[in-house]
Amino acid sequence: MRWWMIAFCAGVVLAAWLPYLPSTPWLLALLPLLLCALAYRRLRVPALFLLGAWWLAWQGRQTLDDWWPVTAAPSDVWAEGVVWSLPVATAEGWRFQFKLERLCDNARLALCEQELWHDDARLVQLNTYEPVDLAPGQRWRWQLRLRRPHGFANPGAYDYEAWLLQQRIAALGYVRDVEGALLLEQDSGRRILERWRYQLLQRLREAGQGLPQLPLIAALSLGEGSGIADEDWDLFQRTGTTHLVVISGSHITLAALLCVWLFRRLWRFSARLPLWWPAPCAAALAGLGGAWLYTALAGFNLPAQRALLMTLLTLGALLLRRQHGLWEVLLTALLALLLWGPLAPQLPGFWLSFGAVAVLTLALLRDGGGPEWWQGLWQLVRSQGYVSVALLPLTALWFQQVSWSAPLVNLLAIPYIGFVAAPLSLLSLALAALSPALAQPLLSFADAMLGFYLHALRALDAALPGSLLTLPPLLPLGQAVLIGLILALLLSRRWWLRLVWLSCLPLTLLLHEAPLPDGVVRVSVLDVGQGNAILVSTRSHHLLYDTGPRYSENSEAGNMSVLPVLRFHGLRELDRVIVSHADNDHSGGLEAVIESYPRALYQSSEPGLFPESLSQELCRAGQAWQWDGIDFAILSPDASGDTRNNGSCVLSIRAGEHRALLSGDIERAREHVLLTQGLAGPLSLLIAPHHGSATSSSPAFVAELRPEHVVFTTAYLNRYGHPARAVVQRYARAGTQAWYTLRSGALNFTLDAASASVSVTEQRLLRRRFWGEPLMEAAPPP
């Protein structure tokens, strides 16, 4: 029984690493063969493994086939459909999911005659950049600008494309003209649950207007955490309490266990009820009801669904009076989760959520409650403590960061959130649903309790400085050893054996990547869309050139891409940060970098860009230094007072005969000045000036430098048309190998003074996934 479940689950999980997926006809042809193989006993286990891989491939292929095609420009269409999710407020308007019903592939509504409309049931994610009254279940007709789902590919960063795949979102886009949109129906009768959650949220906001902790109350009661401030998210990350803020797997499990504990004791107050139905069975049913209701309030998000399923298996066994071992519960839950959502294991969140609920289930099955009334409550607190400790290694493995204070902080935070803040938030929501005025006193009390919680959390964070540790990247062997130790820790029954495995966990840090040798420099060009962010590393020094763009008020490259890459490489400090100039696409992520690396030397061509508290200086031609046998020099700007683009800091890097040039946004006039000052080729690596704009990369500049490699740092379907076709052709005629971050993701160029060649790695090839295949094979930008 166990082996066939293990085989199927392993097939689903491992198939996620496939670089390609078979086409639908091939998959349909393979299915009868696999089903026939199940009839042979000796072939059953491998056939189930292949059947699991087939299930993942089938679901992935159907989802990919629904994705918007790769196009040379965004598609303007008219669409009718239903608002599918709770609208999330942004700085300019709203972000929400929209279920298409009908589509007209024409940009002009007047030309969309009846025969041009066609049915379409795909799910898209939209933004509005103007205020509009949105609610789940509304049916709209409006003009959309849509494009294929696309995210950035950087080591250690969040895989947004995998999340879009998991959510089965077929396109990204925005509403072009809100004023020209037509509300066809206020309530379509679809998305009843989401509309109910929206109405509850509106009543909660009405009752708690002006309360500073209302976003936290909404997060704990409805799973709606979009209103929480960025500084509070940073606080939760440093203290390891992010999982306590919004409804997740641990919340559902905790709610179920609380219902079981409370209902069991209330049931026993009656003399007749236990004779009619045993208290454990009644308590299990109450636990299932509590878990289902809390999951419904969370909108049946994926982590909550996973917890509900595992709770159903665990408490269902009690309800049916059947005994299940730990392995049966966990394997059955994993099998059901993969059958329901085979695309979910692409993201770390699946394993963190499953691991948290698995540890809670383990504690529930192993540790029975004692006769004392406090025994059950203590078991809940202890179980949550197990979760905090067990998930530390997994967090370190995926994010190269770990909060060593998390177990201590969670020891205090878990009972406070679980037994005080969350119940108060839920009771406040229930009263607000009845009458906003009736809920105001309790909401004020809940706000005060959460305000006290945040104040205590900040005090603990200040008393435990440096609790968020950045760890060196582990070798594959170190990752395998770490996973093995985690499994041994969870499955060990004796306390002393758990201590042995726990003490061995830090030893895996010895199995980390070796530093670069002397005379070798690695230039990592990050994938940040339309902008620059480049990490330059030698054996013991690190420099960041530009910090990427700010995409919106709440989104910028610093936190999304730059910092995750720095953590992936285990960088606790940066030696120098050079911001070529103050344009948004080069300095948009600066604030996040400064906050994380305040002791670096900051340089730019523009005065006043950095806070006065930082160590800083202007970059000027003639500045030079050497790190680990690698020569660095600033070639520009001088004191001529160039425009912002031509005033960019230009950095030259030399490793033996290899040279790299990081050119910022300089244009033809500054290129000419550099050539007259003696800049000559050949170059091993050139970051294309101004992203390949037609105003840069003059014929004389390209002909003189003759770069071996050139990198265009541009966004997918960017509005500037970068890189210009003439510029791409100019480099091609010079025999230069062109690279595009929008196709390759992050690019690593290793320049070794002792080697004649340059080593190049592409992130999308290094970690190739089937959902990145169409974009990788797309033609280069025009």
Side-chain angles (χ1 to χ4, degrees), residues 342-631:
L343 302 176
Q346 322 297 337
L347 295 173
F350 173 86
W351 298 106
L352 291 172
S353 175
F354 181 80
V357 180
V359 172
L360 289 174
T361 305
L362 181 149
L364 177 66
L365 292 178
R366 282 192 178 171
D367 302 313
E372 300 292 337
W373 68 270
W374 48 264
Q375 186 72 26
L377 294 178
W378 168 244
Q379 182 181 340
L380 295 181
V381 176
R382 182 175 55 180
S383 301
Q384 292 286 347
Y386 289 164
V387 171
S388 300
V389 174
L391 295 190
L392 279 179
L394 289 177
T395 305
L397 178 64
W398 274 305
F399 306 112
Q400 275 71 52
Q401 272 195 327
V402 62
S403 175
W404 62 264
S405 65
L408 174 62
V409 175
N410 276 274
L411 186 64
L412 302 174
I414 287 170
Y416 191 86
I417 292 293
F419 304 138
V420 179
L424 282 175
S425 299
L426 288 169
L427 286 174
S428 300
L429 178 68
L431 289 177
L434 297 174
S435 168
L438 188 64
Q440 287 177 355
L442 190 58
L443 270 173
S444 299
F445 182 60
D447 181 80
M449 292 294 99
L450 283 169
F452 172 76
Y453 170 73
L454 285 179
H455 178 76
L457 211 57
R458 293 189 184 101
L460 284 171
D461 183 48
L464 303 169
S467 61
L468 194 61
L469 301 179
T470 299
L471 305 176
L474 295 180
L475 295 169
L477 176 61
Q479 297 177 9
V481 171
L482 180 59
I483 293 172
L485 288 175
I486 294 171
L487 291 174
L489 179 65
L490 293 177
L491 298 177
S492 298
R493 292 182 174 271
R494 299 185 181 276
W495 65 268
W496 60 268
L497 197 54
R498 294 178 189 173
L499 289 179
V500 170
W501 301 129
L502 191 62
S503 62
C504 290
L505 288 176
L507 298 179
T508 59
L509 297 179
L510 300 176
L511 301 173
H512 63 78
E513 294 181 2
L516 295 170
D518 287 335
V520 177
V521 61
R522 182 179 61 227
V523 180
S524 301
V525 186
L526 276 57
D527 181 14
V528 293
Q530 189 70 22
N532 278 2
I534 303 166
L535 175 64
V536 182
S537 297
T538 66
R539 178 178 178 83
S540 55
H541 296 277
H542 307 278
L543 177 151
L544 180 65
Y545 182 90
D546 284 340
T547 61
R550 174 173 286 277
Y551 310 108
S552 66
E553 182 177 330
N554 299 319
S555 175
E556 39 78 29
N559 280 310
M560 289 180 61
S561 300
V562 178
L563 294 184
V565 170
L566 298 181
R567 288 195 294 265
F568 176 82
H569 290 292
L571 302 188
R572 297 183 179 89
E573 296 293 341
L574 286 172
D575 295 278
R576 193 178 296 234
V577 176
I578 298 177
V579 179
S580 61
H581 60 301
D583 278 0
N584 171 66
D585 54 338
H586 297 257
S587 64
L590 180 60
E591 184 178 344
V593 174
I594 289 175
E595 185 178 346
S596 296
Y597 297 94
R599 289 188 288 274
L601 172 64
Y602 284 81
Q603 288 184 275
S604 180
S605 59
E606 301 190 30
L609 183 60
F610 310 120
E612 294 182 358
S613 59
L614 297 176
S615 173
Q616 58 184 286
E617 62 181 38
L618 293 175
C619 57
R620 287 290 181 260
Q623 296 171 342
W625 65 95
Q626 187 181 82
W627 286 341
D628 304 319
I630 307 298
D631 296 314

Side-chain angles (χ1 to χ4, degrees), residues 617-664:
E617 62 181 38
L618 293 175
C619 57
R620 287 290 181 260
Q623 296 171 342
W625 65 95
Q626 187 181 82
W627 286 341
D628 304 319
I630 307 298
D631 296 314
F632 295 81
I634 300 292
L635 305 184
S636 182
D638 49 29
S640 60
D642 280 319
T643 61
R644 175 172 285 184
N645 281 352
N646 279 326
S648 298
C649 300
V650 177
L651 177 65
S652 171
I653 306 169
R654 179 186 289 273
E657 296 301 317
H658 295 295
R659 285 193 301 152
L661 190 69
L662 281 56
S663 55

